[in-house]
Amino acid sequence: MQPPRERLVVTGRAGWMGMGRGAGRSALGFWPTLAFLLCSFPAATSPCKILKCNSEFWSATSGSHAPASDDTPEFCAALRSYALCTRRTARTCRGDLAYHSAVHGIEDLMSQHNCSKDGPTSQPRLRTLPPAGDSQERSDSPEICHYEKSFHKHSAAPNYTHCGLFGDPHLRTFTDRFQTCKVQGAWPLIDNNYLNVQVTNTPVLPGSAATATSKLTIIFKNFQECVDQKVYQAEMDELPAAFVDGSKNGGDKHGANSLKITEKVSGQHVEIQAKYIGTTIVVRQVGRYLTFAVRMPEEVVNAVEDWDSQGLYLCLRGCPLNQQIDFQAFHTNTEGTGAHRLAAASPAPTAPETFPYETAVAKCKEKLPVEDLYYQACVFDLLTTGDVNFTLAAYYALEDVKMLHSNKDKLHLYERTRDLPGRAAAGLPLAPQPLLGALILLLALLPVFC
């Protein structure tokens, strides 16, 4: 049964989250969760243009172009244009979180404003810069919107932790465990009281067990007087420098500037600062695939209401035991061997054109002179994928550790974490079947939107 409408409130500057002036309460809470469920069955990456539709609607209904509260015809025209844009991109957006949320949001808003489906449409306008004093320019955010300032009042400086995911894919958890995992499909990296992060991993090559991250979704939850709920989504060949609603900060609240997106390198490197929770997130596209790194206070990491439901929180718990690959054993077995012997040693089918072991070692040594786990991960990825870009993925992952990790003595790790067989007996789940995993994710994310 659908939850009561009065509880389904999604806030935000525009787009499918609180769209337009006078939009009021919108019954969208259930639909983003449903879209997440659909994302648990990932399809091949497609040229979905929903971000463009969101941005055009936002530009038409915000700032100096925003229709007055009683100007329903103009707002309805903007909604019809938005709906037309989504229909044009429908074929390429199946299963996309932002797309399904936008479609159902448009239906809800058209019903609220008694808009007919037939009628004139509005032309998209270019976004204008906010005037001085706008929330995007404020520097006088409330103290509660600056984590360290509010933290220092009552205790010592916070202890920061780091989690990262890169390559085929290799996971470094908040507790500095280092694992190589299969985790094909959609998996939650972070799921706490402040934000959710989900990644989708797809096969690097048809028929290969080697996977890499092709899609990333981050949900920043509504927080007091600081930020509205915001969603960031990146995928292969699309690394936007804005949230899905086209904005670059936390919305209309007084402390909105405590959440910001900065584009470091166009199409390759984005940094998100969430000062209200003391968190920094780095998202990169290296070659065709994405990497993720985060710096987060322990207090925020552990802000979980129900620990029993956190078995899929990969950054905290690590990968399920039967999703882990012992790449160090693979590395040892392949030392001194040529490409012809790799198929027998590899836990996954090798790429048709893999590197000889000596070549892989030489390429990784160029970027990673210290023979730590990042170096070993680099060699593993070159041998299993044949894609030289995985060398850069390992290199940048280590660079992000240097920037984000609070303990400089733990930058390099040398021994892979080996979980005991009793892991499952301790109550941690093994790899979920697709349907079960989707249902667990649905239940875990439902509070985000309600």
Side-chain angles (χ1 to χ4, degrees), residues 170-419:
H170 308 283
L171 172 71
R172 180 169 179 160
T173 71
F174 284 127
T175 55
D176 290 315
R177 288 185 291 166
F178 195 98
Q179 301 168 341
T180 298
C181 311
K182 303 173 188 176
V183 291
Q184 181 174 338
W187 292 77
L189 278 182
I190 298 174
D191 181 12
N192 62 37
N193 294 343
Y194 301 98
L195 78 163
N196 299 96
V197 180
Q198 177 182 278
V199 293
T200 299
N201 303 311
T202 54
V204 175
L205 295 162
S208 172
T211 62
T213 301
S214 58
K215 189 172 184 178
L216 172 75
T217 302
I218 306 172
I219 301 175
F220 296 90
K221 302 179 186 180
N222 187 311
F223 183 71
Q224 299 185 19
E225 60 200 274
C226 304
V227 300
D228 296 319
Q229 180 173 278
K230 291 288 178 174
V231 177
Y232 178 79
Q233 189 174 80
E235 53 189 307
M236 287 164 49
D237 300 322
E238 188 167 3
L239 189 68
F243 296 108
V244 296
D245 64 2
S247 64
K248 294 192 175 186
N249 78 334
D252 288 328
K253 294 185 177 180
H254 192 59
N257 214 36
S258 62
L259 176 62
K260 266 187 170 182
I261 293 182
T262 303
E263 185 175 62
K264 298 292 187 180
V265 180
S266 178
Q268 298 179 32
H269 181 188
V270 167
E271 185 175 300
I272 306 176
Q273 291 279 352
K275 292 182 179 179
Y276 65 101
I277 52 173
T279 296
T280 301
I281 294 174
V282 175
V283 182
R284 299 178 187 267
Q285 175 163 319
V286 185
R288 298 181 62 221
Y289 299 101
L290 305 174
T291 70
F292 170 85
V294 61
R295 179 179 187 259
M296 184 179 291
E298 281 187 351
E299 182 184 37
V300 177
V301 169
N302 295 314
V304 177
E305 292 180 0
D306 184 5
W307 278 91
D308 292 336
S309 69
Q310 296 305 310
L312 294 178
Y313 183 165
L314 299 188
C315 274
L316 187 61
R317 294 290 185 91
C319 297
L321 182 59
N322 68 347
Q323 291 290 305
Q324 297 179 30
I325 299 172
D326 188 349
F327 82 85
Q328 280 187 308
F330 169 78
H331 175 80
T332 302
N333 291 337
T334 55
E335 283 191 40
T337 66
H340 297 295
R341 292 184 59 190
L342 291 178
S346 173
T350 55
E353 297 181 3
T354 54
F355 291 97
Y357 177 78
E358 295 78 7
T359 303
V361 166
K363 288 187 175 296
C364 291
K365 278 273 190 179
E366 291 176 6
K367 287 290 186 182
L368 302 157
V370 178
E371 294 190 20
D372 60 0
L373 290 180
Y374 290 88
Y375 160 81
Q376 293 183 32
C378 172
V379 174
F380 175 87
D381 288 352
L382 290 189
L383 294 177
T384 56
T385 69
D387 186 347
V388 71
N389 287 305
F390 281 84
T391 303
L392 288 175
Y395 169 77
Y396 285 123
L398 183 58
E399 290 299 300
D400 290 338
V401 172
K402 293 176 181 177
M403 178 179 69
L404 301 174
H405 205 293
S406 60
N407 189 340
K408 302 308 177 185
D409 294 330
K410 290 187 177 181
L411 300 183
H412 298 281
L413 298 177
Y414 296 92
E415 290 298 324
R416 172 185 173 272
T417 304
R418 291 177 173 84
D419 287 326

